[in-house]
Each structure stands twice: as structure tokens, then as C-alpha cells.
């Protein structure tokens, strides 16, 4: 799930520093509302799939837990939907973007349902709470800090690309120690990305306010893309915490 969340949509916004007004606050509230919707849909679909052995068998072999053909499709489909939302932002209507975002959230939950079969419920809940705590602290820091975090963006993106390449390599070498090392690096990168993305979204909202924008369809589409960015940050923190601290059944 090491998805690159450096979207082109962010580059089209004006980064200025006016006082936060109504539009900026509504934009920021919409971002977190859609992020909550995505997490809720993913959690529900993951629980539903793991709790129904008959449905779960369509995605994974009950004995080996290896993905079936349909399981591989469910695993890689969310990545395709992320690319669709990012590349087709200007062409997709607001309703279509919402539909793709909802579908992405559900499919991500389905693809991660095996987590509830591999790890104990206690460790999954503990890591989820831990991820929420880390995310919350870094979100507050990103929103309140006066330090310009934009200069760290390229470095963090390089780190994400490095994680993706390392993950592909480890699919062949199957090294547990290397996987554990990447988990620690992944937590560090996506923890920093959380603060970076929150500050970026705050400035986007302020830029919209300064330009006299309203909460129209285009602004709401930006909020959905912002929610996707934060959702990916949280999800990766959670998964990497689970790799380190999760207790297997």
C-alpha cells in the first residue's frame, strides 16, 4: 500500500497565507469528513469479508490465505482507482469522483480483510489506535507549526518510491528482517507525510479563501483528493505498525 500521494491537483492550488475564513474551514472539514467515510467503509467491508468464510474464499484460499485470481484483482484495483482519480480529476464530475472514491474505499477494505484472519483482534485494534494517535499528533503539528514543510515534500516522495521498489524486491527474496526494517522506515516516512499533507491542505484552503472561491463542485473535488491523501497516510502507518507489533493467530 505504499501509494504515492503527491497529486497533480495540489500543484494547481495557490499557496498563500491569508487568515483562515469560512471557505478554508469548510474545505478542511470536508477533507476529514471524507477521510472518515473512507475509513468507515474500508473497516466495514474488511470485517464483513473476514466474518463470512464463503465470501472470503473468493479472495483467498482458506488454507494458505494466498490470494485467488479475484483476490489479486481486488488487491491491485485500488491502485488503478487512485490513478484514475488523480489523472482524471478535471474530467470526472463531482458525483463520479465520489463514486470512484467510495468504490476505492470498499475495495481497499476487501483487499485488507485477510489482516483480520492473520492477526489477532487485540493486536489489530491496538495498532489501529496507535496509528490514530500518531496520525492525530502529526496532523495537529502540521496544522499549527509555522515551519514550512513544503521543502521536505520531494525527499518524502523519494522515500515512498524507495519503499515501493524495496517492497517489490522483497516479494522475491522474502526476507523477514528486511520487511521489518522497511516497516520502521515506512512508519517514519508516512508519519512525516501526515504533517506535510495536513499543512499542504491547510494552505490549499487558505488559497481558495484568498481567491474568493466557494464550496462548489471543483472545491469539493479537491477535498476528496485531500481526504485520499490523508487516508493513505493513515493506512500505511497502521499496516506498518501491524507488521512490527501485530500478533499472529
Amino acid at each position: 500500500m505504499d501509494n504515492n500521494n503527491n497529486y497533480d491537483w495540489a500543484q494547481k492550488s495557490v499557496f498563500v497565507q491569508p487568515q483562515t475564513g469560512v471557505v478554508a474551514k469548510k474545505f478542511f472539514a470536508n477533507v476529514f469528513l471524507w477521510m472518515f467515510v473512507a475509513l468507515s467503509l474500508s473497516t466495514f467491508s474488511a470485517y464483513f469479508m473476514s466474518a463470512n468464510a464463503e465470501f472470503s474464499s473468493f479472495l483467498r484460499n482458506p488454507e494458505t490465505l494466498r490470494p485467488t485470481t479475484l483476490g489479486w484483482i481486488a488487491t491491485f484495483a485500488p491502485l488503478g482507482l487512485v490513478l484514475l482519480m488523480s489523472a482524471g480529476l478535471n474530467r470526472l464530475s463531482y458525483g463520479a469522483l465520489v463514486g470512484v472514491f467510495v468504490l476505492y474505499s470498499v475495495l481497499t477494505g476487501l483487499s485488507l480483510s485477510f489482516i483480520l484472519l492473520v492477526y489477532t483482534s487485540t493486536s489489530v485494534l491496538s495498532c489501529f489506535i496507535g496509528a490514530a494517535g500518531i496520525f492525530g499528533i502529526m496532523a495537529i503539528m502540521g496544522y499549527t507549526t509555522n515551519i514550512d514543510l513544503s521543502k521536505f515534500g520531494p525527499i518524502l516522495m523519494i522515500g515512498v518510491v524507495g519503499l515501493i521498489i524495496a517492497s517489490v524486491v522483497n516479494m522475491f527474496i522474502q526476507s523477514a528482517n528486511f520487511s521489518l526494517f522497511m516497516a520502521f522506515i515506512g512508519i517514519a516516512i508516512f508519519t512525516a507525510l501526515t504533517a506535510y499533507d495536513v499543512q499542504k491542505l491547510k494552505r490549499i484552503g487558505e488559497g481558495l479563501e484568498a481567491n474568493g472561491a466557494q464550496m462548489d463542485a471543483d472545491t469539493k473535488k479537491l477535498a476528496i483528493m485531500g481526504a485520499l491523501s490523508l487516508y493513505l497516510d493513515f493506512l500505511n502507518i497502521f499496516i506498518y505498525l501491524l507488521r512490527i507489533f501485530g500478533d499472529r493467530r
Side-chain angles (χ1 to χ4, degrees):
M1 294 300 298
D2 304 317
N3 294 300
N4 186 342
N5 48 15
N6 185 26
Y7 301 108
D8 292 337
W9 57 268
Q11 299 173 359
K12 300 176 183 178
S13 301
V14 179
F15 288 78
V16 294
Q17 295 288 345
Q19 292 185 354
T20 303
V22 176
V23 173
K25 291 179 180 178
K26 285 185 177 180
F27 172 78
F28 211 68
N30 266 265
V31 169
F32 278 91
L33 173 62
W34 280 114
M35 179 190 171
F36 176 78
V37 169
L39 285 174
S40 299
L41 289 172
S42 296
T43 301
F44 175 79
S45 59
Y47 176 78
F48 175 82
M49 183 60 67
S50 64
N52 293 271
E54 182 178 354
F55 290 107
S56 182
S57 64
F58 289 115
L59 298 182
R60 291 185 176 271
N61 185 299
E63 297 180 357
T64 64
L65 293 182
R66 294 185 62 83
T68 62
T69 301
L70 187 60
W72 282 115
I73 294 175
T75 299
F76 288 103
L79 177 58
L81 293 178
V82 167
L83 296 176
L84 173 63
M85 284 186 281
S86 180
L89 178 62
N90 294 326
R91 293 186 292 273
L92 292 173
S93 66
Y94 174 65
L97 188 66
V98 169
V100 176
F101 182 72
V102 169
L103 179 60
Y104 165 80
S105 304
V106 172
L107 287 178
T108 299
L110 294 180
S111 66
L112 295 177
S113 60
F114 76 96
I115 286 177
L116 298 175
L117 302 176
V118 175
Y119 296 95
T120 64
S121 299
T122 301
S123 62
V124 170
L125 180 60
S126 298
C127 291
F128 188 89
I129 294 174
I134 294 173
F135 181 90
I137 292 172
M138 298 309 296
I140 292 173
M141 289 181 61
Y143 191 85
T144 59
T145 184
N146 293 322
I147 301 174
D148 182 11
L149 302 179
S150 61
K151 57 187 175 183
F152 298 108
I155 299 175
L156 293 173
M157 290 306 111
I158 292 174
V160 172
V161 173
L163 279 174
I164 295 174
I165 295 174
S167 297
V168 173
V169 171
N170 200 43
M171 289 176 62
F172 296 96
I173 64 177
Q174 295 290 313
S175 172
N177 291 332
F178 187 52
S179 178
L180 186 62
F181 172 75
M182 286 194 302
F184 281 104
I185 300 298
I187 290 176
I189 290 175
F190 284 99
T191 296
L193 266 175
T194 299
Y196 167 81
D197 284 335
V198 168
Q199 185 183 81
K200 179 177 65 179
L201 290 167
K202 177 186 176 183
R203 292 184 174 182
I204 290 174
E206 292 173 344
L208 293 169
E209 186 80 36
N211 290 329
Q214 302 298 320
M215 285 302 296
D216 55 13
D218 288 338
T219 304
K220 291 178 180 178
K221 288 198 292 184
L222 286 177
I224 291 179
M225 297 305 295
L228 176 62
S229 178
L230 296 183
Y231 172 88
L232 291 172
D233 291 339
F234 177 89
L235 187 62
N236 279 284
I237 292 172
F238 167 66
I239 291 174
Y240 284 125
L241 282 177
L242 201 58
R243 289 184 184 177
I244 298 171
F245 301 107
D247 294 324
R248 294 178 177 267
R249 294 182 181 274

